[in-house]
Amino acid sequence: MLKKFTAELVGTAVLVLFGCGAAVLGGFDHVGQLGIALAFGFAIIAMAYGIGPVSGCHVNPAVSLGAFVAGRISAKDMLVYWVAQFIGAVIGAAILGLIAKTGFANLGQNGFDAGSPGGYGLHAALIFEIVATAIFVIAILGVTGAKGHGAFAGVSIGITLAVIHIVGIQVTGVSVNPARSFGPALLAGGQALSQVWVFFVAPAIGAVIGAAFFRLKLLEPDA
């Protein structure tokens, strides 16, 4: 279990550092929305092959919740993964804050209304995060299932995350991952911390919805 804990901590730290780092250090002026989206996607692909054999590379409490609801992992494993993921996200955000010229003021935190890159409100944030997380969890559970695509799973998951970011960065900055939201929000404080509840609630609902399709055998392939 220590190996799984370590893998999830490292993987989540890398996701936050590279994904949020692309937004903070690269920004819309240099790498653009597409570049930021690809940074999140490529970070997931790298970690999928780096730590996937150890922990499955969830690096996301919503994914771990989805795996639990679908019957893929135990409640004990889910809780251990959650602790590792939240700690890893804080570490990743802290490293980014130590590098960035703006310090901890801007760590690529998620938000709505004034915290939304495109000025989108709470209702749009909730809808997007629920639907996008459900789609993300469906993609992950499908490609990692008994009849999944094996060696190509990491690529598929990374591309899915990148597409979600291409669509949703202007809405919330894209969370679909409570840990990814928590790390930057905790260190940035203020508005980000007051709004972080949305990025716990919405991804959790989305994860349960996505996983329910597998729990009910609606998306499980025939034996």
Side-chain angles (χ1 to χ4, degrees):
M1 186 55 69
L2 178 60
K3 290 183 179 180
K4 291 181 178 180
F5 180 92
T6 303
E8 288 297 307
L9 185 151
V10 170
T12 311
V14 169
L15 176 67
V16 172
L17 176 59
F18 286 168
C20 295
V24 174
L25 304 179
F28 290 102
D29 293 337
H30 297 286
V31 299
Q33 182 164 321
L34 179 60
I36 296 168
L38 291 177
F40 276 100
F42 288 158
I44 280 290
I45 292 173
M47 289 298 97
Y49 295 106
I51 68 170
V54 180
S55 69
C57 187
H58 292 188
V59 299
N60 181 339
V63 172
S64 298
L65 175 60
F68 169 71
V69 172
R72 303 276 182 92
I73 65 172
S74 68
K76 178 183 177 181
D77 281 358
M78 179 180 69
L79 293 174
V80 170
Y81 277 37
W82 282 357
V83 173
Q85 290 155 0
F86 282 111
I87 294 174
V90 173
I91 292 173
I95 294 172
L96 177 57
L98 293 173
I99 297 170
K101 292 180 180 179
T102 53
F104 295 98
N106 177 20
L107 296 173
Q109 51 265 35
N110 300 119
F112 54 90
D113 290 335
S116 162
Y120 287 82
L122 176 59
H123 76 285
L126 286 168
I127 293 170
F128 173 78
E129 291 291 335
I130 290 171
V131 173
T133 307
I135 292 170
F136 191 41
V137 168
I138 287 171
I140 291 170
L141 293 178
V143 79
T144 59
K147 293 190 175 182
H149 299 283
F152 295 100
V155 175
S156 175
I157 294 167
I159 290 174
T160 303
L161 186 61
V163 171
I164 287 171
H165 277 77
I166 291 171
V167 173
I169 281 179
Q170 290 298 316
V171 182
T172 62
V174 180
S175 172
V176 301
N177 183 337
R180 171 263 182 270
S181 298
F182 176 75
L186 178 67
L187 299 181
Q191 175 181 266
L193 194 56
S194 69
Q195 294 185 349
V196 77
W197 65 271
V198 170
F199 307 105
F200 280 68
V201 174
I205 294 172
V208 171
I209 292 172
F213 286 101
F214 292 86
R215 185 75 178 191
L216 299 174
K217 308 299 182 182
L218 297 174
L219 290 179
E220 288 284 4
D222 295 330

